[in-house]
Amino acid sequence: SNLTAELEKIGIPSKHNRKSFLPSYTTDGLQINLGRFVPYLNKFAYRNRGTVQGELAMELLVMLSRRRVPFNFEAGRRSSSTASSNVISHQRQVVPESTVDDALGVVDQIRRNGWLSTNPDSVDGLPSLHLNIISSGRRMFDDGQVKRSGGKTTLATCVNELADLLEPHLC
C-alpha cells in the first residue's frame, strides 16, 4: 500500500520485509532503520514546531537520545596500558581556555546557521547533532573548497577554522 511505502522511506519496515530492510546498527530490537528515521523526525519536528505533532516528534527524539550510553572513561583507565587497548582517554586542560572559547564561538556560528549534521550517530545510530572536523585522518574540507567560498562564511570555512584552532594542541 501507499502507507507501507511511505513508512519504509522513513525507516519503518513492514512485517514482510523486516529482515532485509534493517541495517546492522538498529539497536535494542527497536526494528526501525534509525539512519532513515532520525533525519526525517528532525525535519518533521522543525516543520511542525509549536504544534502538538512537533512536540510529539521532539518527545520521541528525547526518548531516542536517552537510549545513548555515555562513554565510561574510568573503565578505560583500569584496562592494561598497551597502545592498542584504549584509543579514547580523558585528558584535562589539553587545549587552552582561550582556544576553547574561540572554538565555541565558531561552533555557535555553525549551530545558528543550522549546519550541524542531523544524521544518526555512526556508533549507536541514535539522534545526534554533531560536526565532523577530521575524517579518516584528513580535514573534512580541503583548502580549495574554502577558497571557492569567496570570503563568505560557509560550513567549510568554519570547520577549517576549528581545525586550525585545535590542531596545534591535539596533533
Side-chain angles (χ1 to χ4, degrees):
S1 78
N2 286 344
L3 178 58
T4 300
E6 289 300 310
L7 288 173
E8 287 178 354
K9 283 182 187 175
I10 64 168
I12 302 174
S14 68
K15 63 182 178 181
H16 301 293
N17 70 351
R18 188 172 301 265
K19 287 185 180 177
S20 64
F21 184 83
L22 295 174
S24 60
Y25 59 79
T26 298
T27 57
D28 299 335
L30 191 59
Q31 304 300 303
I32 294 175
N33 180 326
L34 295 173
R36 292 183 187 174
F37 185 64
V38 170
Y40 166 81
L41 195 56
N42 278 320
K43 289 175 187 168
F44 184 89
Y46 182 77
R47 277 194 317 266
N48 294 285
R49 62 192 180 279
T51 68
V52 172
Q53 293 88 350
E55 289 176 22
L56 288 172
M58 289 299 294
E59 286 178 27
L60 186 51
L61 285 166
V62 167
M63 287 188 293
L64 287 169
S65 293
R66 283 188 181 138
R67 294 164 49 102
R68 176 164 281 119
V69 177
F71 184 80
N72 184 347
F73 288 104
E74 295 304 317
R77 284 193 187 129
R78 285 192 295 267
S79 67
S80 66
S81 60
T82 62
S84 63
S85 68
N86 193 10
V87 174
I88 301 173
S89 64
H90 189 212
Q91 304 292 319
R92 295 190 181 275
Q93 300 177 336
V94 172
V95 179
E97 191 173 326
S98 62
T99 302
V100 171
D101 290 341
D102 292 343
L104 287 174
V106 176
V107 171
D108 190 50
Q109 185 173 31
I110 291 169
R111 184 192 54 76
R112 280 193 317 269
N113 285 305
W115 294 335
L116 288 171
S117 173
T118 58
N119 293 331
D121 185 81
S122 62
V123 174
D124 58 18
L126 295 175
S128 173
L129 289 175
H130 61 275
L131 175 67
N132 294 330
I133 301 171
I134 305 290
S135 180
S136 299
R138 294 192 191 120
R139 288 180 179 218
M140 288 299 296
F141 300 100
D142 62 32
D143 289 334
Q145 288 170 295
V146 172
K147 288 176 185 170
R148 287 192 296 274
S149 70
K152 292 170 49 176
T153 299
T154 65
L155 177 60
T157 60
C158 288
V159 168
N160 277 6
E161 184 177 351
L162 283 172
D164 289 343
L165 286 166
L166 298 172
E167 228 169 20
H169 306 287
L170 303 177
C171 294

